[in-house]
Amino acid sequence: MVGLKIGLDIGTGSVIAAVENKGVVLSEPAVLAIERETGEVIEAGKKACEMTGRCPDAIKLVRPLLSGGISELESSEKLLRCFIERICKNKIFKPTVVATMPAGITNLEKRNILGCVLRAGAGRATLIEEPLAAALGIGVMTDKPYGTMIVNVGAGTTGVGVITMGSIAVAKSAAIGGDDMDRVIRTYLKNNRGVNVGKLTAEELKSLIGGAKMREETIAAVAKGKDMADGMPLFFEVTAQEINFAIRDCVDEICKAITDVLEVTPPELVRDITDDGIFLCGGMAKLYGLDKYIEEATGIKVKIPGNATNVAALGCLRALNEENYLSSNGYHFVTLETLNV
């Protein structure tokens, strides 16, 4: 293979890319700013995200990656093309890409994701399940009959998988994540405080004072919003207790996805998981107290690996560097020509 080798974690909230011998080279919000009339891309990633709630009518902001999949084919292709071009710059040969997909998606959904990756600039591509990619990124052994549970909580999905001998034994993808928490925070403040806040403000409140469990100390934050009574801007104080109450149902849904997988996992693998613990990763792994909340719900110790946000992209790269691993586990590369056959 002549082109670059890229491990690509395609998530609802962000796209993370790792390149051979360089590690993670790109971590950008999955947001695209498009001119409404022409469809021309104005910005992609962080600069587009900064326009949220601030752009004129002539510009449309698009978040085309829904629940870790592809919701708008054309916009998704444009977004991925921008990122792949940033990584490859002016290189002549097209890259080889291993990208993530949610566990349990349909063949049509797989085909849509592969088609977008290939039309965005990849020469060859294949997909692996997100929990498996995260397990490989953590460093799980691929040749041992030993069960490992991975919980990957992102912006749009929570992927739960039990890995043994380098493949998935049991997996579930639940449509719940950080974006849902942002949404319920906005709804709570609107219904209970009479204040309208934007998505970015809700996300900041979640990161600063939100949590799955209450802190020992009482903390609060001052935020900016819009008074729904008179439409005027205002500063208001919100407590951690309010934010935790707002996102409680989302946290419970994440825990339910984990317990659902444990219920159908074979006993020997459950024993391994109990011995080794559950690995929590993804962008929402850093939510205060989420690891302890899961421990209480399952009775199993939860570990957060270093660099938890990037493990899926690094796992895709590891799979790509061990190409025999991919073929021996049923993952095969396709090109645009073979995809359409």
Side-chain angles (χ1 to χ4, degrees):
M1 291 184 289
V2 181
L4 286 178
K5 295 180 180 179
I6 302 175
L8 199 62
D9 180 16
I10 302 173
T12 303
S14 63
V15 175
I16 301 172
V19 172
E20 187 180 24
N21 299 324
K22 293 183 179 179
V24 174
V25 296
L26 180 140
S27 180
E28 296 274 353
V31 184
L32 195 64
I34 300 175
E35 192 173 274
R36 285 186 187 274
E37 287 192 8
T38 64
E40 182 183 346
V41 175
I42 298 171
E43 292 289 355
K46 292 175 184 175
K47 291 185 178 179
C49 188
E50 289 169 358
M51 296 181 186
T52 301
R54 300 185 177 104
C55 58
D57 290 340
I59 298 173
K60 177 174 70 171
L61 284 189
V62 182
R63 299 174 184 268
L65 305 177
L66 179 65
S67 298
I70 299 293
S71 61
E72 298 182 28
L73 292 174
E74 185 178 350
S75 297
S76 299
E77 182 185 324
K78 289 177 179 178
L79 180 70
L80 294 178
R81 183 184 296 118
C82 289
F83 293 153
I84 289 175
E85 286 176 354
R86 285 186 203 176
I87 297 166
C88 296
K89 296 185 171 58
N90 296 319
K91 289 185 169 53
I92 297 172
F93 297 101
K94 292 184 175 182
T96 298
V97 176
V98 174
T100 58
M101 63 177 172
I105 63 174
T106 65
N107 287 332
L108 177 60
E109 289 170 321
K110 291 179 186 177
R111 188 182 181 87
N112 285 341
I113 297 173
L114 275 172
C116 278
V117 172
L118 290 166
R119 287 190 295 272
R124 301 192 309 153
T126 191
L127 304 175
I128 64 174
E129 294 85 353
E130 194 173 50
L132 178 57
L136 294 172
I138 290 167
V140 167
M141 294 178 291
T142 59
D143 58 347
K144 303 291 183 184
Y146 190 85
T148 303
M149 175 172 267
I150 305 293
V151 178
N152 194 323
V153 187
T157 60
T158 293
V160 185
V162 177
I163 316 298
T164 181
M165 296 187 69
S167 61
I168 288 182
V170 185
K172 177 178 181 176
S173 183
I176 188 73
D179 282 353
D180 298 280
M181 296 182 191
D182 299 339
R183 175 179 50 78
V184 296
I185 289 170
R186 295 180 69 188
T187 302
Y188 173 86
L189 293 174
K190 185 181 292 185
N191 294 342
N192 295 275
R193 300 291 297 275
V195 179
N196 197 358
V197 300
K199 175 178 169 53
L200 296 182
T201 301
E203 190 174 353
E204 287 172 4
L205 289 172
K206 176 189 67 184
S207 300
L208 285 173
I209 62 174
K213 291 179 67 67
M214 288 301 301
R215 295 169 170 82
E216 292 182 5
E217 68 278 10
T218 300
I219 63 170
V222 175
K224 294 182 225 177
K226 185 176 178 181
D227 192 325
M228 294 183 63
D230 57 15
M232 290 293 103
L234 82 164
F235 288 87
F236 67 101
E237 185 177 88
V238 59
T239 66
Q241 185 175 4
E242 290 179 280
I243 301 300
N244 292 3
F245 176 79
I247 67 175
R248 184 175 58 187
D249 287 346
C250 295
V251 174
D252 286 340
E253 283 190 55
I254 291 170
C255 287
K256 187 178 185 306
I258 298 168
T259 55
D260 285 350
V261 170
L262 284 171
E263 285 173 4
V264 296
T265 301
E268 294 301 326
L269 293 178
V270 171
R271 189 180 75 172
D272 295 339
I273 294 165
T274 304
D275 290 342
D276 203 31
I278 296 170
F279 289 91
L280 178 63
C281 53
M284 292 308 302
K286 58 191 175 184
L287 180 70
Y288 179 84
L290 182 58
D291 54 343
K292 301 302 179 186
Y293 196 91
I294 295 171
E295 283 183 7
E296 291 177 4
T298 62
I300 301 172
K301 184 172 179 59
V302 175
K303 303 175 181 178
I304 302 177
N307 211 7
T309 304
N310 299 330
V311 290
L314 294 170
C316 288
L317 186 61
R318 178 185 172 189
L320 186 50
N321 286 329
E322 300 175 13
E323 196 165 339
N324 289 336
Y325 162 80
L326 287 171
S327 58
S328 63
N329 284 279
Y331 299 98
H332 303 290
F333 285 102
V334 296
T335 63
L336 267 179
E337 291 74 21
T338 58
L339 182 67
N340 294 323
V341 172

